[in-house]
Each structure stands twice: as structure tokens, then as C-alpha cells.
Amino acid sequence: MAAIFTPINQIKLTNVAIVRRKKGGKRFEIACYKNKVMSWRQGVEKDIDEVLQTHTVFINVSKGQVAKRDDMKKCFDTDDQTKICREILEKGELQVSEKERQAQLEAMYRDIATTVADKCINPETKKPYTVTLIERAMRDAHVSVKTTRNTKQQALEVIRLLKQSIPLERCQMRVRINVPAREARKVRDRLSSHLTKIERENWSGDMEIVSLIDPGSYRNVEEVIQRETRGRGSLEIIDLKDVDESDDYFVAKTGMAKMSLQESQAKGEGSAAATAPTSSAEATASAND
């Protein structure tokens, strides 16, 4: 009986999620565990070994065909397969069925809208928008979701885009600042550009300020206080979000009516919608978002 040989450059894998990247005129693929690719891209999963089924670069995962070392070196300037896997994982296209892709897009679309609704308010009323209203505004602005990017990054872009069509701004954070009298004046001057609305200011003895700040300024405010007072000053979070959450139903109905009116006016004038291609630990996370 003749012997059966299996090509040494073939690896058989099953039940995998394939991520593909075309570079230098060639196709490269990696084999991942299902549901782990998006977790990696969104920063939830940090261990690449939990994402990759193997640190091997393929030209065709389904057929088990491994990429040639010379091709990897030419296209990626390295033959380190783990580094190449990272690039493909971050920039490649996840291969899924049309039904799976649609479900993934809908879930990401909802996540983006939820993030925007959580981080923003109507500056005219100081009230939050509902997720449904944000989704509607995103559709009107023809927002498209990119599966290769995490939802928080896309939410920040959506916020900038939606400001062109509806009243929208980031929720402000309310903080209390305490600084010893000796450094008070210097710190006050350094912080002036970060304090969006001072609600209370007391200079009897040590300086105490209660103010609203943009979440993105939290880290800068904290660094100024710690540096200038050498750790003797303090920054306390009173409210993570300065939001009036009363009468939400009325707000939603009013917002929908306002947006419908804007749509009617836009159609009448023939205007076109714009198109577009998240304690101290909590505050830092909000600032990073």
C-alpha cells in the first residue's frame, strides 16, 4: 500500500474566526477564537494568546496553507509572526457571514449610540438624549460603523459630527478643589482655562473652588494641583455628570419633535446631511474616553 503524505506547510484548524489583511499584493490570514477579535479591538481582552488559536500566519486558513517567510519579510519588514499577527488582528478584516456581519454592525451601532447618549447632553436643557434619539440622528447623518475600530473611538467622532445637526455637548464633571493658601493664587491662575463654570469660590484660609470641568481636563487639573502643591492640594469629584434627568419622557418627545422639524426644514431647503466615514479611577476613564 502506498504511503500517504501530508504537506508540512499545511495546518488544519476548525471552528475559527478568520482575520484577513491584504498587503504588498498578497493575502495573509490568522486564525482566532470566535467572539475574541472584537474583545481585543475594544480593549476588553489584553492577552493575545486568548485571541489567537496559533501564532502562525497563513495565506489560507481554511486550507491550512502557511505563509512563506520571504513573503512576510517583504510585506511586513519582519518575519516575527507574533508581530505580524498583531498587525493583522488590529488592521485586518474579520471574515464573517453576511448575517453575522449585519448583527455585528447593529450591535456596534447601538454601542456607539449608547456611549454618545451616556456622555452627552442637550446644552439648552441640560438633559440627556435617549439612545433612540441618538441612533436616529446618526442615521440622518449617514454614520457608518467601522468594524476594525473600537466603539469608543468612533463615538467621539460621532459626537463631533452630530454637533453639526443637533444641540449636543459633553457632560461636564463637578469637582471640588482645595489648595493651601500659599500656592492658591498660582494654582488658580494655572487652572483658569480648565474651569468651565465656577459655582463656588472661597478664599478664607485655604482656597476652595467648586466648579464644572470637561472630563477630558480632569487629568490636567489633577496634575497641576499635585505639581504646584507638592501633594498638599486635593481634587474631589462631586458629580461625574452634571445632568438634569427629570422629565426624561418629555425631553425625548420634545427632542423628537425638534429633530422632525429640522428634517422638514432641511428637505424644504434641499440641504444634504453630512457623512462620516467613555471615584478618581472613574474620572480618569471618563477623561480617556
Side-chain angles (χ1 to χ4, degrees):
M1 176 183 256
I4 299 175
F5 295 97
T6 301
I8 61 174
N9 67 333
Q10 286 193 352
I11 299 175
K12 292 294 186 181
L13 296 169
T14 59
N15 194 30
V16 299
I18 300 171
V19 181
R20 177 183 299 160
R21 178 160 170 74
K22 292 183 179 179
K23 191 169 184 178
K26 296 186 179 295
R27 184 179 75 178
F28 299 92
E29 296 180 347
I30 56 175
C32 304
Y33 291 104
K34 288 189 174 182
N35 304 321
K36 286 292 187 177
V37 176
M38 295 312 301
S39 296
W40 172 271
R41 289 177 172 175
Q42 292 173 4
V44 177
E45 180 60 65
K46 304 292 187 182
D47 186 355
I48 196 169
D49 291 327
E50 294 294 321
V51 183
L52 298 176
Q53 289 211 14
T54 173
H55 290 244
T56 302
V57 180
F58 298 83
I59 57 173
N60 190 312
V61 170
S62 300
K63 295 181 179 180
Q65 296 175 345
V66 179
K68 295 179 180 178
R69 186 177 298 275
D70 290 344
D71 289 342
M72 289 187 287
K73 187 74 173 178
K74 179 180 178 181
C75 296
F76 294 94
D77 294 326
T78 180
D79 56 6
D80 185 325
Q81 296 201 54
T82 298
K83 289 183 179 179
I84 297 173
C85 284
R86 283 181 178 273
E87 179 175 329
I88 297 173
L89 186 58
E90 293 170 2
K91 300 180 180 179
E93 182 179 353
L94 178 62
Q95 305 300 298
V96 295
S97 68
E98 187 59 34
K99 185 176 180 180
E100 289 176 320
R101 180 178 297 278
Q102 188 59 36
Q104 179 187 6
L105 287 172
E106 289 176 359
M108 292 186 69
Y109 202 89
R110 184 74 174 181
D111 285 346
I112 292 170
T114 300
T115 300
V116 174
D118 181 60
K119 294 185 178 301
C120 297
I121 59 171
N122 182 333
E124 299 173 358
T125 63
K126 292 294 182 182
K127 296 178 184 293
Y129 284 106
T130 63
V131 175
T132 301
L133 276 172
I134 296 299
E135 284 183 321
R136 182 174 179 180
M138 288 169 61
R139 285 193 295 270
D140 292 343
H142 304 294
V143 172
S144 59
V145 174
K146 298 177 178 61
T147 57
T148 57
R149 301 180 58 198
N150 70 56
T151 54
K152 288 184 179 181
Q153 290 176 336
Q154 295 184 72
L156 295 178
E157 293 181 359
V158 169
I159 290 172
R160 289 192 289 269
L161 177 67
L162 295 187
K163 284 182 178 181
Q164 302 173 20
S165 57
I166 63 173
L168 189 76
E169 71 175 18
R170 289 286 299 269
C171 297
Q172 297 291 291
M173 179 186 295
R174 180 176 287 107
V175 298
R176 178 181 290 109
I177 300 168
N178 287 284
V179 176
R182 182 175 179 179
E183 296 91 1
R185 181 59 61 184
K186 183 193 295 186
V187 172
R188 175 66 173 78
D189 292 341
R190 296 282 175 85
L191 294 180
S192 59
S193 62
H194 299 296
L195 308 180
T196 56
K197 182 182 178 182
I198 298 177
E199 298 179 334
R200 186 169 73 247
E201 192 166 1
N202 184 0
W203 288 78
S204 58
D206 295 345
M207 180 187 75
E208 180 191 41
I209 294 177
V210 174
S211 177
L212 299 180
I213 65 171
D214 188 277
S217 298
Y218 178 86
R219 184 174 296 172
N220 291 332
V221 171
E222 185 178 44
E223 287 177 354
V224 168
I225 293 172
Q226 294 302 311
R227 182 178 64 251
E228 298 298 338
T229 67
R230 297 181 181 179
R232 294 191 297 274
S234 65
L235 176 62
E236 175 189 353
I237 303 163
I238 300 175
D239 290 313
L240 281 171
K241 295 191 296 184
D242 177 39
V243 176
D244 181 359
E245 295 183 331
S246 62
D247 300 322
D248 283 345
Y249 177 78
F250 175 77
V251 175
K253 299 296 286 185
T254 302
M256 290 178 69
K258 179 181 290 187
M259 291 175 66
S260 296
L261 177 60
Q262 291 174 341
E263 289 174 355
S264 298
Q265 291 173 340
K267 289 178 180 178
E269 297 170 0
S271 59
T275 303
T278 155
S279 69
S280 179
E282 291 176 308
T284 302
S286 181
N288 289 337
D289 296 342

